[in-house]
Amino acid sequence: MKRQAVNRAVLQRLLRYALDDKRNLFIAIALLFVASLADVSGPWLLQRFIDNYIAVDQFPVADVATLVAAYIALMILAGVFKYAQSLRFNQIAIGVVQKVRKQLFAQVMNQPLSAFDYMPSGKLISRLTNDTESIKDFYVFVIATFLKNVTLIVVMLTVMFIMSWRLTLVVLALLPVVVGVMVVYQHKSASAYRRMRDLLADINSSMSESIQGMSLIQLMRQEKAFSAYFAGLTDQHLKAQIGVTKLNSVLLRPLIDLLSGIALLTLVALFGVGGTELIGVGVLYAFLSYLGRVTEPLIEMTQQLSLLQQALVASERIFALIDSRQQAYGEDERPLTSGHLACRDLSFSYDGKQKVLDNIDIELPHQGFLALVGHTGSGKSTLASLMMGFYPSSEGGVELDGRPLESLSRSVLRQGIAMVQQDPHVLSDTVRENVSLGREMTDDQIWHALETVGLAGQIKQYEFGLDTVLGGGEVNLSAGQKQLLALARVLVEQPKVLILDEATANIDSGTEQKIQHMLSVLRQNMSIVVIAHRLSTIMDADEIVVLHHGEVIERGTHFSLLSERKQYWQMYQLQQASDHLHHLEEASTETAEN
């Protein structure tokens, strides 16, 4: 009962989308009614011809010609109006799908980052494509079919009742049974279609992740394992489809054909008992014709229940995402006056159980340089994400320019603090679009940002300059160049705080020196936070904070931490030894080549 209530709520919400276009909906229903009336009039005209002319063996040319012309005209009229109403319903359906997709995509864009921690991209794509297509099918086939057939049945029953109320009762006795079959089918098929939709989303997710991680799969020789997993999902989906097909083969056409056959035999039996005195030959012909036309819409409506069920399941998933919590921002629109950043007794947990950060106190003055170091899993990137406002803190909070981070509006926060991540995303688009990302800016601003990060020389070598398309096999940037490009993106707007999350991890020593010089220049206008494994990048930091299992265990300048000879000193010694070995290997290679 609970599941049915949910379905009714989803169905009502789906229908409200169509009511937004009341004019088209009204016209479509009016066209549908006229088409049904014209379609039903055909057997009635034939009944009149049989009883009034054939039965009495009289064939007035003028009357017969009029009936023939009227019959042809009605059939043409029915066809024209069916076509017109079909176009209207398709327009409504396409409009609804476009609206839902826009709402859904806008909601995805405003989801908090925590929502993507447990939501594979393939499942999101499935909701944006397959699930919204189910809504289109709902309007094109389900709603149009139900309105058409209900209108057709009502008009036919009215005409039949006028002809013979006794025979109409026989047909009416069939309807409650068919409605019962439809209810049973909907109840039985709900879970099956929901499982089919879930498996289809898993299939899309598996394909997306496999394609994105193709280099890793081939490197680890896991092609067979991933193919086997994908094959397992498709086999489960096939079994679910077969289960639905079996259900359809029992509860749809075979059962309703049996019921219509019983009604047909009843009509013939009544004619055999009463003869033409009770039922005219023309009336019997009309009723037999109408019986076929009544049962066929009933079968068609029952068959559409499968699409209805798919649309309801898809809509449940879509509306759950549309109604989900958006990224929260404050209402403080005052521009930031400084890059003063502070973490006050900050603690954080992803699952509410295991703390990732515990009681962090950090103060970064305006134009300051803060470095975060520590072994993998120490909480550096999580702390940077909290500074960006990607996650709400569990305890304590982050302040920017003396104001709580959660009080700042979206525009103030995103313009005031920016991050260059370890693995930046590059669009399959021009250099210009990759830097601007849709923001209004001149080519001079873009070139200035590229000059600042030392990437302008590389771009000028390309034939099309800023119009060079990146990715797609045309021009591929190295890992280090991608990070420089990402750095240029954020420097265009000159944020008050710049966070570099391992942004120097994949660049050579020469580029690293340029980055260090650039950071010293940028400090004149902004505060800088650098997360780095390469300690040579942060030797000039005003303060270095060493994290271990989410706690601050050391803090100070580069030289003061070395003098303490604790974890930072150990990390520095290991890197020095590693760099020394690397230089020895290079020297050995050069000697061997000479």
Side-chain angles (χ1 to χ4, degrees):
M1 295 298 293
K2 184 177 179 181
R3 178 64 67 184
Q4 292 177 352
V6 171
N7 281 345
R8 282 197 295 270
V10 170
L11 183 59
Q12 291 171 2
R13 187 168 177 177
L14 273 176
L15 293 175
R16 281 199 295 270
Y17 280 99
L19 294 177
D20 291 340
D21 191 2
K22 293 184 178 66
R23 180 177 177 276
N24 259 337
L25 183 62
F26 176 78
I27 293 174
I29 294 174
L31 292 171
L32 185 59
F33 179 78
V34 175
S36 300
L37 194 61
D39 196 23
V40 168
S41 299
W44 178 75
L45 288 177
L46 290 176
Q47 177 264 324
R48 302 283 295 178
F49 177 70
I50 293 172
D51 285 343
N52 294 345
Y53 300 108
I54 294 180
V56 296
D57 198 22
Q58 293 180 1
F59 302 97
V61 176
D63 291 348
V64 172
T66 301
L67 283 175
V68 171
Y71 183 86
I72 294 174
L74 286 171
M75 293 304 100
I76 293 174
L77 186 67
V80 170
F81 277 80
K82 283 180 182 179
Y83 173 75
Q85 64 87 17
S86 178
L87 284 181
R88 292 285 179 174
F89 275 111
N90 272 276
Q91 289 176 2
I92 295 172
I94 293 171
V96 169
V97 169
Q98 287 180 341
K99 183 175 182 179
V100 171
R101 278 183 176 162
K102 289 177 182 177
Q103 288 181 347
L104 186 57
F105 190 76
Q107 183 67 18
V108 170
M109 291 295 99
N110 289 285
Q111 286 286 291
L113 284 185
S114 56
F116 298 96
D117 292 339
Y118 309 101
M119 176 64 73
S121 59
K123 290 191 176 183
L124 285 175
I125 294 172
S126 180
R127 293 189 185 185
L128 283 164
T129 53
N130 296 332
D131 287 352
T132 50
E133 277 299 311
S134 290
I135 293 181
K136 176 185 173 183
D137 292 341
F138 170 78
Y139 281 97
V140 173
F141 300 110
V142 179
I143 294 298
T145 298
F146 269 75
L147 287 176
K148 177 189 71 175
N149 290 329
V150 168
T151 303
L152 192 61
I153 290 172
V154 170
V155 173
M156 281 193 293
L157 288 175
T158 302
V159 175
M160 292 165 72
F161 190 83
I162 294 173
M163 290 184 181
S164 172
W165 64 268
R166 294 181 181 86
L167 297 185
T168 305
L169 292 178
V170 176
V171 178
L172 285 175
L174 175 66
L175 295 180
V177 181
V178 174
V179 171
V181 172
M182 295 169 69
V183 172
V184 172
Y185 176 84
Q186 192 274 340
H187 178 73
K188 294 287 186 181
S189 63
S191 59
Y193 279 109
R194 187 167 289 104
R195 176 164 172 75
M196 281 177 57
R197 281 284 160 189
D198 290 340
L199 286 170
L200 185 59
D202 291 340
I203 288 172
N204 288 332
S205 177
S206 176
M207 284 192 294
S208 176
E209 292 176 357
S210 298
I211 292 172
Q212 291 177 5
M214 187 60 67
S215 59
L216 176 64
I217 293 172
Q218 294 185 1
L219 180 66
M220 303 303 294
R221 295 177 297 172
Q222 292 300 306
E223 295 92 339
K224 289 185 179 180
F226 276 78
S227 296
Y229 176 72
F230 184 80
L233 288 177
T234 55
D235 288 343
Q236 293 180 52
H237 188 259
L238 176 61
K239 289 179 181 178
Q241 284 184 312
I242 291 174
V244 170
T245 302
K246 289 180 179 178
L247 192 63
N248 294 348
S249 65
V250 174
L251 292 180
L252 292 184
R253 181 172 292 275
L255 185 55
I256 295 179
D257 280 346
L258 175 63
L259 295 173
S260 64
I262 294 173
L264 177 61
L265 290 175
T266 304
L267 290 177
V268 174
L270 286 174
F271 180 77
V273 172
T276 56
E277 295 179 0
L278 181 64
I279 307 171
V281 176
V283 173
L284 178 62
Y285 165 79
F287 264 78
L288 292 178
S289 177
Y290 284 137
L291 180 61
R293 295 191 179 202
V294 167
T295 55
E296 193 60 37
L298 291 173
I299 293 172
E300 190 176 2
M301 285 193 294
T302 308
Q303 288 175 328
Q304 298 304 321
L305 286 177
S306 62
L307 291 178
L308 171 63
Q309 196 59 57
Q310 291 183 57
L312 291 178
V313 172
S315 300
E316 286 178 2
R317 294 147 54 95
I318 289 174
F319 294 150
L321 186 53
I322 289 178
D323 297 337
S324 61
R325 180 176 60 90
Q326 293 189 350
Q327 176 71 49
Y329 294 98
E331 298 179 355
D332 191 343
E333 295 283 353
R334 292 174 297 163
L336 299 176
T337 59
S338 73
H340 178 254
L341 184 68
C343 299
R344 312 286 188 190
D345 300 321
L346 183 64
S347 297
F348 178 74
S349 172
Y350 286 104
D351 57 8
K353 300 176 182 178
Q354 184 71 30
K355 281 190 176 182
V356 181
L357 296 174
D358 188 15
N359 198 28
I360 304 295
D361 277 297
I362 294 176
E363 189 96 18
L364 175 64
H366 179 55
Q367 298 179 345
F369 183 178
L370 172 68
L372 303 176
V373 300
H375 296 301
T376 301
S378 60
K380 306 184 299 298
S381 294
T382 299
L383 179 56
S385 295
L386 291 176
M387 291 178 175
M388 288 293 299
F390 290 158
Y391 299 91
S393 58
S394 303
E395 300 174 17
V398 180
E399 295 180 359
L400 181 59
D401 193 26
R403 290 174 272 173
L405 210 63
E406 61 271 14
S407 70
L408 302 178
S409 68
R410 177 177 177 273
S411 60
V412 172
L413 179 61
R414 293 297 166 234
Q415 289 177 2
I417 185 167
M419 175 187 282
V420 177
Q421 296 174 310
Q422 182 176 0
D423 186 19
H425 180 68
V426 176
L427 304 175
S428 296
D429 209 329
T430 63
V431 175
R432 181 183 291 102
E433 289 301 319
N434 265 283
V435 176
S436 67
L437 293 177
R439 298 169 292 182
E440 293 292 334
M441 59 185 62
T442 64
D443 285 357
D444 289 339
Q445 290 176 294
I446 295 175
W447 279 119
H448 178 70
L450 293 172
E451 288 280 1
T452 303
V453 302
L455 198 57
Q458 178 68 33
I459 302 303
K460 288 178 180 178
Q461 292 179 9
Y462 300 142
E463 180 181 357
F464 300 107
L466 294 180
D467 292 317
T468 302
V469 177
L470 301 178
E474 296 183 22
V475 175
N476 292 313
L477 300 179
S478 66
Q481 288 172 333
K482 289 179 181 178
Q483 289 178 330
L484 294 177
L485 180 68
L487 190 56
R489 288 171 179 167
V490 302
L491 293 182
V492 171
E493 290 189 333
Q494 291 291 311
K496 294 295 183 182
V497 179
L498 174 63
I499 300 177
L500 305 181
D501 186 1
E502 299 289 358
T504 59
N506 298 314
I507 58 179
D508 56 55
S509 57
T511 306
E512 182 183 2
Q513 291 179 357
K514 293 180 181 179
I515 294 289
Q516 288 176 321
H517 175 71
M518 180 190 66
L519 293 179
S520 65
V521 174
L522 292 176
R523 286 183 60 186
Q524 300 174 14
N525 300 309
M526 65 185 70
S527 304
I528 296 175
V529 179
V530 176
I531 300 173
H533 281 298
R534 296 173 64 170
L535 303 183
S536 57
T537 310
I538 59 170
M539 292 175 63
D540 295 331
D542 298 328
E543 183 179 39
I544 299 173
V545 174
V546 183
L547 294 172
H548 183 69
H549 295 314
E551 296 181 355
V552 176
I553 59 171
E554 292 180 67
R555 62 199 319 159
T557 64
H558 173 72
F559 294 106
S560 68
L561 290 176
L562 288 180
S563 64
E564 293 178 6
R565 300 176 69 87
K566 293 181 180 179
Q567 182 165 314
Y568 182 83
W569 178 81
Q570 293 176 354
M571 294 170 61
Y572 184 75
Q573 294 300 319
L574 287 173
Q575 282 201 11
Q576 289 292 101
S578 177
D579 291 343
H580 181 65
L581 288 174
H582 180 68
H583 290 317
L584 289 176
E585 289 176 357
E586 289 182 344
S588 176
T589 302
E590 290 177 0
T591 302
E593 290 177 351
N594 294 330

Coordinates of all heavy atoms in Angstrom, one line a residue, residues 136-196:
K136 N 9.2 10.7 -21.4 CA 8.7 11.1 -22.8 C 7.7 10.0 -23.2 O 6.6 10.3 -23.8 CB 9.8 11.2 -23.7 CG 9.4 11.4 -25.2 CD 10.6 11.4 -26.1 CE 10.1 11.5 -27.6 NZ 11.3 11.4 -28.5
D137 N 8.1 8.7 -23.1 CA 7.2 7.6 -23.4 C 5.9 7.6 -22.7 O 4.8 7.3 -23.2 CB 7.9 6.3 -23.2 CG 9.1 6.0 -24.1 OD1 9.1 6.7 -25.1 OD2 9.9 5.2 -23.8
F138 N 5.9 8.1 -21.4 CA 4.7 8.2 -20.6 C 3.7 9.1 -21.2 O 2.5 8.8 -21.3 CB 5.1 8.7 -19.2 CG 4.0 9.1 -18.3 CD1 3.2 8.1 -17.7 CD2 3.6 10.4 -18.1 CE1 2.1 8.5 -16.9 CE2 2.6 10.8 -17.4 CZ 1.8 9.8 -16.7
Y139 N 4.2 10.3 -21.7 CA 3.3 11.2 -22.3 C 2.9 10.8 -23.7 O 1.7 11.0 -24.1 CB 3.9 12.6 -22.3 CG 3.8 13.3 -21.0 CD1 4.9 13.3 -20.1 CD2 2.7 14.0 -20.6 CE1 4.8 13.9 -18.9 CE2 2.6 14.6 -19.4 CZ 3.6 14.6 -18.5 OH 3.6 15.1 -17.3
V140 N 3.8 10.3 -24.5 CA 3.5 10.0 -25.9 C 2.6 8.8 -26.0 O 1.7 8.8 -26.8 CB 4.8 9.8 -26.7 CG1 4.6 9.3 -28.1 CG2 5.6 11.1 -26.8
F141 N 2.9 7.8 -25.3 CA 2.2 6.5 -25.4 C 1.2 6.3 -24.3 O 0.0 6.0 -24.6 CB 3.2 5.4 -25.4 CG 4.2 5.4 -26.6 CD1 5.6 5.7 -26.3 CD2 3.8 5.3 -27.9 CE1 6.5 5.8 -27.3 CE2 4.7 5.3 -28.9 CZ 6.0 5.6 -28.7
V142 N 1.6 6.4 -23.1 CA 0.7 6.1 -22.0 C -0.5 7.1 -21.9 O -1.6 6.7 -22.0 CB 1.5 6.0 -20.6 CG1 0.5 5.7 -19.5 CG2 2.6 5.0 -20.7
I143 N -0.2 8.4 -21.7 CA -1.3 9.3 -21.5 C -2.1 9.4 -22.8 O -3.3 9.4 -22.7 CB -0.7 10.7 -21.1 CG1 0.0 10.7 -19.8 CG2 -1.8 11.8 -21.2 CD1 -1.0 10.3 -18.7
A144 N -1.4 9.5 -23.9 CA -2.2 9.6 -25.2 C -3.0 8.4 -25.4 O -4.2 8.5 -25.8 CB -1.2 9.8 -26.3
T145 N -2.5 7.2 -25.1 CA -3.2 6.0 -25.3 C -4.4 5.9 -24.4 O -5.5 5.5 -24.8 CB -2.3 4.8 -25.1 OG1 -1.3 4.8 -26.1 CG2 -3.1 3.5 -25.3
F146 N -4.2 6.2 -23.1 CA -5.3 6.1 -22.1 C -6.4 7.1 -22.4 O -7.6 6.8 -22.4 CB -4.7 6.4 -20.7 CG -4.3 5.1 -20.0 CD1 -3.1 4.5 -20.3 CD2 -5.1 4.6 -19.0 CE1 -2.7 3.4 -19.7 CE2 -4.7 3.4 -18.3 CZ -3.5 2.8 -18.7
L147 N -6.1 8.4 -22.8 CA -7.1 9.4 -23.1 C -7.8 8.9 -24.4 O -9.1 9.0 -24.4 CB -6.4 10.7 -23.3 CG -6.0 11.5 -22.0 CD1 -5.3 12.7 -22.4 CD2 -7.2 11.7 -21.1
K148 N -7.1 8.5 -25.4 CA -7.7 8.1 -26.6 C -8.7 6.9 -26.4 O -9.8 6.9 -26.9 CB -6.6 7.7 -27.6 CG -7.2 7.2 -29.0 CD -6.1 6.6 -29.8 CE -5.6 5.3 -29.3 NZ -4.6 4.7 -30.2
N149 N -8.2 5.9 -25.7 CA -9.0 4.7 -25.5 C -10.2 4.9 -24.6 O -11.2 4.3 -24.8 CB -8.1 3.6 -25.0 CG -7.1 3.1 -26.1 OD1 -7.5 3.1 -27.3 ND2 -6.0 2.6 -25.7
V150 N -10.0 5.7 -23.5 CA -11.1 6.0 -22.6 C -12.2 6.7 -23.3 O -13.4 6.4 -23.2 CB -10.6 6.7 -21.4 CG1 -11.8 7.3 -20.6 CG2 -9.7 5.8 -20.5
T151 N -11.7 7.7 -24.1 CA -12.7 8.5 -24.9 C -13.4 7.6 -25.9 O -14.7 7.7 -26.0 CB -12.0 9.6 -25.6 OG1 -11.3 10.5 -24.7 CG2 -13.0 10.5 -26.4
L152 N -12.6 6.7 -26.5 CA -13.2 5.8 -27.5 C -14.2 4.9 -26.9 O -15.3 4.7 -27.4 CB -12.1 5.0 -28.2 CG -12.5 4.3 -29.5 CD1 -13.0 5.2 -30.6 CD2 -11.3 3.5 -29.9
I153 N -13.9 4.3 -25.7 CA -14.8 3.4 -25.1 C -16.0 4.1 -24.6 O -17.1 3.5 -24.8 CB -14.0 2.7 -23.9 CG1 -12.9 1.8 -24.4 CG2 -15.0 2.0 -23.0 CD1 -12.0 1.3 -23.3
V154 N -15.9 5.3 -24.0 CA -17.1 6.0 -23.6 C -18.0 6.3 -24.7 O -19.3 6.1 -24.6 CB -16.7 7.3 -22.8 CG1 -17.9 8.2 -22.6 CG2 -16.0 7.0 -21.5
V155 N -17.5 6.8 -25.8 CA -18.3 7.1 -27.0 C -19.0 5.9 -27.5 O -20.2 5.8 -27.9 CB -17.5 7.8 -28.1 CG1 -18.3 8.0 -29.4 CG2 -17.0 9.2 -27.6
M156 N -18.2 4.8 -27.6 CA -18.8 3.5 -28.1 C -19.9 3.0 -27.2 O -20.9 2.5 -27.7 CB -17.7 2.4 -28.3 CG -16.8 2.7 -29.6 SD -15.8 1.2 -30.0 CE -14.6 1.2 -28.6
L157 N -19.7 3.0 -25.9 CA -20.7 2.5 -25.0 C -21.9 3.3 -25.1 O -23.1 2.8 -25.0 CB -20.1 2.5 -23.6 CG -19.1 1.4 -23.3 CD1 -18.5 1.6 -21.8 CD2 -19.6 0.0 -23.4
T158 N -21.8 4.6 -25.3 CA -23.0 5.5 -25.4 C -23.8 5.1 -26.7 O -25.0 5.0 -26.6 CB -22.5 7.0 -25.5 OG1 -21.8 7.3 -24.3 CG2 -23.7 7.9 -25.6
V159 N -23.1 4.9 -27.8 CA -23.7 4.5 -29.0 C -24.4 3.2 -28.9 O -25.5 2.9 -29.4 CB -22.7 4.6 -30.2 CG1 -23.4 4.0 -31.5 CG2 -22.2 6.0 -30.4
M160 N -23.6 2.2 -28.3 CA -24.2 0.9 -28.1 C -25.4 0.9 -27.2 O -26.4 0.1 -27.4 CB -23.1 0.0 -27.4 CG -21.9 -0.3 -28.4 SD -20.4 -0.9 -27.5 CE -21.0 -2.6 -27.1
F161 N -25.4 1.7 -26.1 CA -26.5 1.8 -25.2 C -27.8 2.3 -26.0 O -28.9 1.8 -25.7 CB -26.2 2.7 -24.1 CG -27.2 2.6 -23.0 CD1 -27.2 1.6 -22.0 CD2 -28.3 3.6 -22.9 CE1 -28.2 1.6 -21.0 CE2 -29.2 3.5 -21.9 CZ -29.2 2.5 -21.0
I162 N -27.5 3.2 -26.9 CA -28.7 3.7 -27.7 C -29.2 2.6 -28.6 O -30.4 2.5 -28.8 CB -28.2 5.0 -28.6 CG1 -27.8 6.1 -27.6 CG2 -29.3 5.4 -29.5 CD1 -27.2 7.3 -28.3
M163 N -28.3 1.8 -29.1 CA -28.8 0.7 -30.0 C -29.5 -0.4 -29.2 O -30.6 -0.8 -29.6 CB -27.6 0.1 -30.7 CG -26.9 1.0 -31.8 SD -25.6 0.1 -32.6 CE -25.0 1.3 -33.7
S164 N -28.9 -0.9 -28.1 CA -29.4 -2.0 -27.4 C -28.8 -2.0 -26.0 O -27.7 -2.3 -25.8 CB -29.2 -3.3 -28.1 OG -29.6 -4.4 -27.2
W165 N -29.6 -1.6 -25.0 CA -29.1 -1.6 -23.6 C -28.8 -3.0 -23.1 O -28.0 -3.2 -22.2 CB -30.1 -0.8 -22.7 CG -31.4 -1.5 -22.5 CD1 -32.5 -1.3 -23.3 CD2 -31.8 -2.5 -21.6 NE1 -33.6 -2.1 -22.9 CE2 -33.1 -2.8 -21.8 CE3 -31.1 -3.1 -20.5 CZ2 -33.8 -3.7 -21.0 CZ3 -31.7 -4.0 -19.8 CH2 -33.1 -4.3 -20.0
R166 N -29.6 -4.0 -23.6 CA -29.3 -5.4 -23.1 C -28.0 -5.9 -23.5 O -27.2 -6.4 -22.7 CB -30.4 -6.3 -23.7 CG -31.8 -6.1 -23.2 CD -32.8 -7.0 -23.8 NE -34.2 -6.8 -23.4 CZ -35.0 -6.0 -23.9 NH1 -34.6 -5.3 -25.0 NH2 -36.2 -5.8 -23.5
L167 N -27.6 -5.7 -24.8 CA -26.3 -6.1 -25.2 C -25.2 -5.3 -24.6 O -24.1 -5.8 -24.4 CB -26.2 -6.0 -26.8 CG -27.1 -6.9 -27.5 CD1 -26.9 -6.8 -29.0 CD2 -27.0 -8.4 -27.1
T168 N -25.5 -4.0 -24.3 CA -24.5 -3.2 -23.7 C -24.1 -3.7 -22.3 O -22.9 -3.6 -21.9 CB -25.0 -1.7 -23.6 OG1 -25.4 -1.3 -24.9 CG2 -23.9 -0.8 -23.0
L169 N -25.1 -4.3 -21.6 CA -24.8 -4.8 -20.2 C -23.8 -5.9 -20.3 O -23.0 -6.1 -19.4 CB -26.1 -5.3 -19.6 CG -27.1 -4.2 -19.2 CD1 -28.4 -4.8 -18.6 CD2 -26.5 -3.2 -18.2
V170 N -23.9 -6.7 -21.4 CA -22.9 -7.8 -21.6 C -21.5 -7.3 -21.7 O -20.5 -7.8 -21.1 CB -23.2 -8.7 -22.8 CG1 -22.2 -9.7 -23.1 CG2 -24.6 -9.3 -22.7
V171 N -21.3 -6.2 -22.5 CA -20.0 -5.6 -22.6 C -19.6 -4.9 -21.3 O -18.4 -5.0 -20.9 CB -20.0 -4.6 -23.8 CG1 -18.7 -3.9 -23.9 CG2 -20.4 -5.3 -25.1
L172 N -20.5 -4.3 -20.6 CA -20.1 -3.6 -19.4 C -19.7 -4.6 -18.3 O -18.8 -4.2 -17.5 CB -21.3 -2.8 -18.9 CG -21.7 -1.5 -19.6 CD1 -22.9 -0.9 -19.1 CD2 -20.5 -0.5 -19.5
A173 N -20.2 -5.8 -18.4 CA -19.8 -6.8 -17.4 C -18.3 -7.2 -17.6 O -17.6 -7.7 -16.7 CB -20.6 -8.1 -17.5
L174 N -17.8 -6.9 -18.8 CA -16.4 -7.3 -19.1 C -15.4 -6.2 -18.5 O -14.3 -6.6 -18.1 CB -16.2 -7.3 -20.6 CG -14.8 -7.5 -21.1 CD1 -14.2 -8.9 -20.8 CD2 -14.7 -7.3 -22.6
L175 N -15.8 -5.0 -18.3 CA -14.9 -3.9 -17.9 C -14.4 -4.1 -16.5 O -13.1 -3.9 -16.3 CB -15.6 -2.6 -18.1 CG -16.0 -2.1 -19.5 CD1 -16.7 -0.8 -19.5 CD2 -14.8 -2.1 -20.4
P176 N -15.2 -4.4 -15.5 CA -14.6 -4.5 -14.2 C -13.5 -5.6 -14.1 O -12.6 -5.5 -13.3 CB -15.8 -4.8 -13.3 CG -17.0 -4.3 -14.0 CD -16.7 -4.5 -15.5
V177 N -13.8 -6.7 -14.8 CA -12.8 -7.8 -14.8 C -11.5 -7.3 -15.4 O -10.4 -7.6 -14.9 CB -13.3 -9.0 -15.6 CG1 -12.3 -10.2 -15.5 CG2 -14.7 -9.5 -15.0
V178 N -11.5 -6.6 -16.5 CA -10.3 -6.1 -17.1 C -9.6 -5.1 -16.2 O -8.4 -5.1 -16.1 CB -10.6 -5.4 -18.5 CG1 -9.4 -4.8 -19.1 CG2 -11.2 -6.5 -19.4
V179 N -10.4 -4.2 -15.6 CA -9.8 -3.3 -14.6 C -9.0 -4.1 -13.5 O -8.0 -3.7 -13.1 CB -10.8 -2.3 -14.1 CG1 -10.2 -1.5 -12.9 CG2 -11.3 -1.4 -15.2
G180 N -9.7 -5.1 -13.0 CA -9.0 -6.0 -12.0 C -7.7 -6.6 -12.5 O -6.7 -6.6 -11.8
V181 N -7.7 -7.0 -13.7 CA -6.5 -7.6 -14.3 C -5.4 -6.5 -14.4 O -4.2 -6.8 -14.1 CB -6.8 -8.1 -15.7 CG1 -5.5 -8.5 -16.4 CG2 -7.7 -9.3 -15.7
M182 N -5.8 -5.3 -14.7 CA -4.8 -4.2 -14.8 C -4.2 -3.9 -13.4 O -3.0 -3.6 -13.3 CB -5.5 -2.9 -15.4 CG -5.9 -3.1 -16.9 SD -7.0 -1.8 -17.5 CE -5.8 -0.4 -17.5
V183 N -5.1 -3.9 -12.4 CA -4.6 -3.6 -11.0 C -3.6 -4.7 -10.6 O -2.5 -4.4 -10.0 CB -5.8 -3.5 -10.1 CG1 -5.3 -3.4 -8.6 CG2 -6.6 -2.3 -10.4
V184 N -3.9 -5.9 -10.9 CA -3.1 -7.1 -10.5 C -1.7 -6.9 -11.2 O -0.7 -7.1 -10.6 CB -3.7 -8.4 -10.8 CG1 -2.8 -9.6 -10.6 CG2 -5.0 -8.6 -9.9
Y185 N -1.8 -6.6 -12.5 CA -0.6 -6.5 -13.3 C 0.3 -5.4 -12.8 O 1.5 -5.6 -12.6 CB -0.9 -6.2 -14.8 CG 0.3 -5.9 -15.6 CD1 1.0 -7.0 -16.2 CD2 0.7 -4.6 -15.9 CE1 2.1 -6.8 -17.0 CE2 1.8 -4.4 -16.7 CZ 2.5 -5.5 -17.2 OH 3.6 -5.2 -18.0
Q186 N -0.3 -4.2 -12.4 CA 0.5 -3.1 -11.9 C 1.2 -3.5 -10.6 O 2.4 -3.2 -10.4 CB -0.4 -1.9 -11.7 CG 0.3 -0.6 -11.4 CD 0.7 -0.4 -10.0 OE1 0.1 -1.0 -9.1 NE2 1.7 0.4 -9.7
H187 N 0.5 -4.2 -9.7 CA 1.0 -4.6 -8.5 C 2.2 -5.6 -8.6 O 3.2 -5.6 -8.0 CB -0.1 -5.3 -7.6 CG 0.4 -5.8 -6.3 ND1 0.8 -4.9 -5.2 CD2 0.6 -7.1 -5.8 CE1 1.2 -5.7 -4.2 NE2 1.1 -6.9 -4.5
K188 N 2.0 -6.6 -9.6 CA 3.0 -7.6 -9.8 C 4.2 -7.1 -10.5 O 5.3 -7.6 -10.3 CB 2.4 -8.8 -10.6 CG 1.3 -9.5 -9.9 CD 1.8 -10.4 -8.8 CE 0.7 -11.3 -8.2 NZ 1.2 -12.2 -7.1
S189 N 4.0 -6.1 -11.4 CA 5.2 -5.7 -12.2 C 6.0 -4.6 -11.6 O 7.1 -4.2 -12.1 CB 4.6 -5.2 -13.6 OG 3.8 -4.1 -13.4
A190 N 5.5 -3.9 -10.5 CA 6.2 -2.8 -9.9 C 7.7 -3.1 -9.6 O 8.6 -2.4 -10.0 CB 5.5 -2.3 -8.7
S191 N 7.9 -4.1 -8.7 CA 9.2 -4.5 -8.3 C 10.1 -4.9 -9.5 O 11.3 -4.6 -9.5 CB 9.2 -5.5 -7.2 OG 8.5 -6.7 -7.7
A192 N 9.5 -5.6 -10.4 CA 10.3 -6.1 -11.6 C 10.8 -5.0 -12.4 O 12.0 -5.0 -12.8 CB 9.4 -7.0 -12.4
Y193 N 10.0 -4.0 -12.7 CA 10.5 -2.8 -13.5 C 11.5 -2.0 -12.7 O 12.4 -1.4 -13.3 CB 9.3 -2.0 -13.9 CG 8.6 -2.6 -15.1 CD1 7.4 -3.1 -15.1 CD2 9.2 -2.5 -16.4 CE1 6.7 -3.7 -16.2 CE2 8.6 -3.1 -17.5 CZ 7.4 -3.7 -17.4 OH 6.8 -4.2 -18.5
R194 N 11.3 -1.9 -11.4 CA 12.2 -1.1 -10.6 C 13.6 -1.8 -10.6 O 14.6 -1.1 -10.7 CB 11.7 -1.0 -9.1 CG 12.5 -0.1 -8.2 CD 11.8 0.2 -6.9 NE 10.7 1.1 -7.2 CZ 9.4 0.7 -7.2 NH1 9.1 -0.6 -6.9 NH2 8.5 1.5 -7.4
R195 N 13.6 -3.1 -10.5 CA 14.9 -3.8 -10.6 C 15.5 -3.7 -12.0 O 16.8 -3.5 -12.1 CB 14.7 -5.3 -10.3 CG 15.9 -6.1 -10.5 CD 15.8 -7.5 -9.8 NE 17.0 -8.4 -10.1 CZ 18.2 -8.2 -9.6 NH1 18.4 -7.2 -8.7 NH2 19.2 -9.0 -9.9
M196 N 14.7 -3.7 -13.1 CA 15.2 -3.5 -14.4 C 15.9 -2.1 -14.5 O 17.0 -2.0 -15.1 CB 14.1 -3.6 -15.4 CG 13.7 -5.0 -15.8 SD 12.3 -5.1 -16.9 CE 13.0 -4.1 -18.3

